[in-house]
Amino acid sequence: MADGIKFLQDNFGQCGRPNVAWQIDVFGHSREQTALFALMGMDGVFFARLQSLERLVRLQEKRMEGVWQGSTSLGSKADLFFGAFYDHYSPPKGYCFDAFCVDPPIQDDRDLFDYNVDERVDGFLKIVSEQAQHFQTNHIMLLMGDDFEYENANEWFKNLDKLIKYVNEKENSTNVHVLYSTPACYLLSLNQANKTWTTKKEDFMPIGSPHNFWTGFYSSRPALKQYVRETSRVLQTCKQLEGLAGIPQKSTFLKDAMGIVQHHDAITGTERQHVADDYAKRLAMGTKQCQSVMVDVISQWMVKNKMAPTPELEFCNYLNISACPLSESTDSFSVTLYNSLAYNVTDYVSIPVTRGQYVVTGPHGDEIEHQMLEVSSQTKKVRGDKGKATHQVIFPVTIPAVGFSVYKFTPGNKSNQTDKIHNAINAKQNTPSDNNDIGIQNEYMSLLFDGTTGLLKSVHNSVSEVSLPVQQSFYWYNSSTNSNHYIFTPYNNNPFPLFSGSVNLKIVKGNLVEEVHQEFTPWLSQVIRLYKGQQHAEFEWTVGPIPFKDGLSKEIITRFDTPLKTKKLFYTDSNGRQIMERRRDHRESFPYIQTDPVAANYYPINSRIYIKDNDVQLTVLTDRSHGGSSIKDGSMEVMIHRRLLSVAENSVNEALNETGQYGDGLIVRGKHYVILETPQNSAKLHRPLATQIYASPTVMLSKVTNEWKSSHNTEFSSLAINTLPVNVNLLTLEPWNNNTLLLRLEHIFEEKEDQNLSLPVTVSLKNLFKAFDIIGIEETTLDGNLLKKDAKRLHWKQETNDRHKDPVLHGPINDDMQITLNPMEIRTFWLTVQRKT
């Protein structure tokens, strides 16, 4: 969006900058998006779609327009005026004038038999009068257009000109004046009316009507959703490296592709298959260009002198299915990991190999403990002929802030390795016997599995001494013929289990990771992992091809069932930032009538969902956007795959039946991350983890020689001083104009989430980066196109304002360039830099 606004300003000047958001065909509207619009300096948002019952109530109570309080943490600066249209975003009935419209044109020649000015004006005035009864001011907005209209623009404007002329001729008797206008002009008129407006805090979602709720798109095309998330990470890393290195931009293609895929019929999964394929192709092309940027910049940073050869870095794009041509065919190689976050990151990396023994050396020449695991049969099945690795090497890595670390692999054998490392390589595998419960554990968590069913039975946090009975399994809803890319309508509100009595179970234990392999069906499996030193469990699921020969459409969920007394409450994120409290069978803005116990209670999950009571919180973080809910107390479910066989009415005239690369159905692999903690201590775990999942390290490989370490840097950070604190995210660093960079810093905690990490935090930008000095700094709106001091937003009288006082305003930036961030705040700056030689 920042690039779009920049394009408008560059080509049309400051007057081309929009100050109103226009979301007429979006399938629901999130609270966080409202806050982001406000931080961009916008004054309002208008949209068409909302739940049918809410529309009726708002029309009756004249609440179609009001003030949306976009963030509790940010206060009034996140407030935004909203307006919902009277009906759809189409012209009033009878007043469509395009080539394919059948409404009669306005005929104003009295010598012709079809003269109809009086009839057409009277009909229009009746429409205006009816609509005006449902709005607070004497201003109303009529939408004169729709999808694919103005193919004959001349016909449109000729009739609109006549309509305006003849309606205004009667203005003295009707008190109706018609004019061409814009959303911004309309909004200004509402503001000048000096009314007091009702407020809203929740989302406008889910939208829909009985048996027609638009909650399916939250999960449609899960592979594309993950690919968009992955390529977004690539784009942010690419822009960061371009900004640090001061090189010509190659990220433009991926920026454009990423912008296109934000369309409401793209990332949602509501497009046809060939269109989805085109989106993915464009993302792949842009990714390739950005990968070349990463190779160029990081390889230059790696050489110690100009005489040293530049490493030939390569990407392994199929690591999630244990496939990497270089590591599978080379005995000695290096693994270079880039961390785009502004603090040091510790993680685990898995590299597919074909030989049995390795010595892994860290950036400082120390031997790194590692663990070798067999590539699972499920992974071999999924990857087909894309790889030949028999094993994967798991090893821990530490990567400096905004920098890289290099780990070297060389052939090893039993005689030249320490006992500790050798023992880790020989991970133990076993299958539960005599129905005894079996568990895995690390120093922070333990998971117990039922010896009879093979399902997860309980989770224990060894630090906080919190325990919770948890059963996790997979189920499927039988979709009705009304389900489509947009809509989720199950035939039955109770999903069917995807296991019959027990699941196949295998336990793998080593010094670094302990795993439980579960096979629920031949097409559904899961690996649950506990890594040494990590405070969460990893659930990696593989689903597909979903069976279809029985003729039944299926929607697959993973579900966590606990005895928690959650009182109908559960929590999901809003656009990966603030957390929204959800109450089953309830809406904030209108009396709710339950018609769809499952679909109407589904909400989007961009990064996490959790349930809690006073003592325990169970949190599930995701690697892509899903839909999910808590259909009963103590339970939460996430939809991970959909396969619909019928073509529903009002859909895209194509079934949501992704057939995948082999034609028998799409296989999807993903990861969820599970945390068990007290509610008071959960945010300090799930907030940084969500950031690290999104900005996971970039992995590159290259061949090495014996002299490699002496000629190349094996560790590097772009930061010249201390790292930023864990509650501050380096959200953006990218080239902007000439010697200007765009910088965004984000406080990732909401207020009162954590005793310490939710406090305001101050950081200094002075001497922060090695590559350049900051010689000038100016704060802008969130989009980076308007100086903050020049942003003048409209103010609105609000009917209720029950929140506490706003956060303290920031003063001028001092010579030390100290920046204070309040909870949930994103601050954006133009940095004028002078590059160091």
Side-chain angles (χ1 to χ4, degrees), residues 91-97 106 116-132 140-144 156 159-160 162-168 170 174 176-179:
K93 187 176 180 179
Y95 293 83
C96 177
F97 302 114
I106 297 175
N116 62 2
V117 169
D118 294 336
E119 173 189 344
R120 301 296 275 147
V121 168
D122 289 345
F124 183 79
L125 290 172
K126 287 180 181 179
I127 291 171
V128 169
S129 177
E130 164 60 25
Q131 181 170 333
I140 62 172
M141 181 191 297
L142 298 175
L143 287 302
M144 305 305 292
W156 257 113
N159 281 277
L160 289 177
K162 292 180 180 180
L163 185 63
I164 291 171
K165 173 184 176 183
Y166 294 117
V167 169
N168 289 346
K170 295 186 174 183
T174 65
V176 174
H177 179 81
V178 186
L179 71 157

Side-chain angles (χ1 to χ4, degrees), residues 36-55:
L36 297 178
F37 284 148
L39 295 177
M40 291 178 188
M42 293 192 176
D43 291 312
V45 57
F46 291 99
F47 51 83
R49 301 188 187 277
L50 68 165
Q51 190 170 332
S52 58
L53 181 56
E54 181 171 12
R55 181 184 296 278

Side-chain angles (χ1 to χ4, degrees), residues 620-672:
V620 177
L621 294 98
T622 67
D623 66 350
R624 72 199 71 195
S625 294
H626 299 283
S629 186
S630 175
I631 303 302
K632 60 181 181 179
D633 276 6
S635 176
M636 59 180 167
E637 63 185 55
V638 179
M639 185 177 291
I640 56 177
H641 204 348
R642 314 180 75 207
R643 190 172 193 179
L644 311 179
L645 305 181
S646 59
V647 180
E649 186 179 357
N650 297 324
S651 68
V652 296
N653 295 319
E654 179 181 277
L656 184 59
N657 180 19
E658 296 181 276
T659 55
Q661 60 178 328
Y662 300 117
D664 56 349
L666 179 68
I667 301 173
V668 179
R669 172 169 285 181
K671 291 181 180 180
H672 292 160

Side-chain angles (χ1 to χ4, degrees), residues 313-367:
L313 299 174
E314 299 181 14
F315 286 86
C316 293
N317 295 320
Y318 295 104
L319 286 177
N320 66 325
I321 54 173
S322 297
C324 178
L326 193 151
S327 63
E328 293 171 13
S329 60
T330 306
D331 286 339
S332 298
F333 57 90
S334 71
V335 179
T336 301
L337 302 132
Y338 182 77
N339 168 29
S340 62
L341 297 174
Y343 51 84
N344 300 340
V345 166
T346 299
D347 204 349
Y348 282 85
V349 175
S350 175
I351 300 297
V353 296
T354 54
R355 58 175 290 123
Q357 304 286 340
Y358 280 94
V359 174
V360 181
T361 307
H364 306 292
D366 52 323
E367 199 167 338

